[in-house]
Amino acid sequence: MSNNALIIIISAPSGTGKTSICRSIFRQFPDIRFSVSYTTRQPRAGEVDGRDYHFITEDMFREKVQKGEFAEWAENYGHLYGTSRRVVEEIRSREEDLILDVEPRGAKALKELYPDGIFVFVLPPDLEELKKRLQKRGAEDDETRKKRFQKAKDEIREVFWYHYIIVNDRLESAVERLRAVYLAEKCRRERQSRVIEGFLKET
Ligand code: ADP
Ligand code: 5GP
């Protein structure tokens, strides 16, 4: 059966602003679902367990890996992050639109599982600005921030296999671009089979 719902995978170097962009999109489109990942890192100020991440211990995470509960998982900066296979499948089976926030290795694994996925890469305007944003976000020591910044350069090399690139210069503009991608993808003919079938039945 064709699935008319969207699965959108968003990657960006840490600190680029994808959480800020996604929050705004979820406010505008409350029906879009978010796949809440599991992580072993500590919550940052303002982060809520079950909304931003499921914060779990490394032992719990490894157990889930053993049981095959993750659609994909990866280590970032010494912490583990994973996408729940069950949650994604449930949302897909209800044909609800879904956004996932995963780094490029996880995104590549999801591309194998969901070839109809829409892959979006968010870039900072430049690396200096990325450094500033990582500092602004705070809550981490200099060493971790440095690691995130180094990794950003490797991640940016992965942009070539994504479908869309959004530069987060002004937040409002970046949100507008993601909104445009979402609406255009919703209108694709192959996702309008129900609408088309409805017309054909009436004739
Ligand atoms: P990510 O989820 O990609 O790690 P965040 O959304 O947490 O990034 O944003 C990192 C920091 O940059 C936050 O302090 C956020 O307020 C800020 N920020 C996000 N987008 C912009 C922007 N377009 N201009 C300036 N600051 C931004
Ligand atoms: P942060 O610690 O800043 O929230 O996230 C660090 C990185 O982990 C980001 O690049 C984010 O996209 C990625 N990430 C978040 N959840 C997942 C996940 O479930 N799987 C993978 N592979 N990466 C994730």
Side-chain angles (χ1 to χ4, degrees), residues 61-143:
F61 195 100
R62 299 264 177 217
E63 198 182 318
K64 286 179 179 297
V65 172
Q66 286 295 317
K67 289 184 178 162
E69 290 182 20
F70 293 125
E72 63 72 39
W73 67 276
E75 193 211 307
N76 297 310
Y77 335 103
H79 303 297
L80 306 174
Y81 295 78
T83 302
S84 163
R85 190 187 295 277
R86 182 180 56 79
V87 169
V88 173
E89 288 306 328
E90 279 175 8
I91 294 171
R92 297 268 294 163
S93 68
R94 289 197 297 269
E95 297 214 5
E96 292 172 331
D97 296 332
L98 170 65
I99 291 184
L100 297 99
D101 162 354
V102 298
E103 46 69 64
R105 278 167 306 160
K108 215 165 209 172
L110 292 173
K111 201 164 196 214
E112 295 288 316
L113 284 175
Y114 305 108
D116 59 335
I118 296 139
F119 291 78
V120 178
F121 201 102
V122 184
L123 282 170
D126 54 56
L127 289 175
E128 270 316 297
E129 175 62 19
L130 178 65
K131 220 181 240 177
K132 280 190 208 145
R133 287 185 196 170
L134 278 170
Q135 267 158 7
K136 192 164 99 183
R137 199 173 61 182
E140 278 169 350
D141 53 78
D142 281 355
E143 196 50 41

Side-chain angles (χ1 to χ4, degrees), residues 13-20 133 136-137 168-171:
S14 189
T16 300
K18 72 184 161 331
T19 307
S20 313
R133 287 185 196 170
K136 192 164 99 183
R137 199 173 61 182
N168 181 18
D169 36 22
R170 277 179 59 252
L171 183 58

Side-chain angles (χ1 to χ4, degrees), residues 132-164:
K132 280 190 208 145
R133 287 185 196 170
L134 278 170
Q135 267 158 7
K136 192 164 99 183
R137 199 173 61 182
E140 278 169 350
D141 53 78
D142 281 355
E143 196 50 41
T144 310
R145 268 206 296 270
K146 237 179 242 167
K147 275 193 211 158
R148 286 183 187 268
F149 186 67
Q150 283 308 322
K151 193 153 183 264
K153 295 184 195 168
D154 293 335
E155 290 183 345
I156 289 169
R157 292 192 188 100
E158 296 290 319
V159 297
F160 298 104
W161 57 266
Y162 282 74
H163 297 120
Y164 295 98

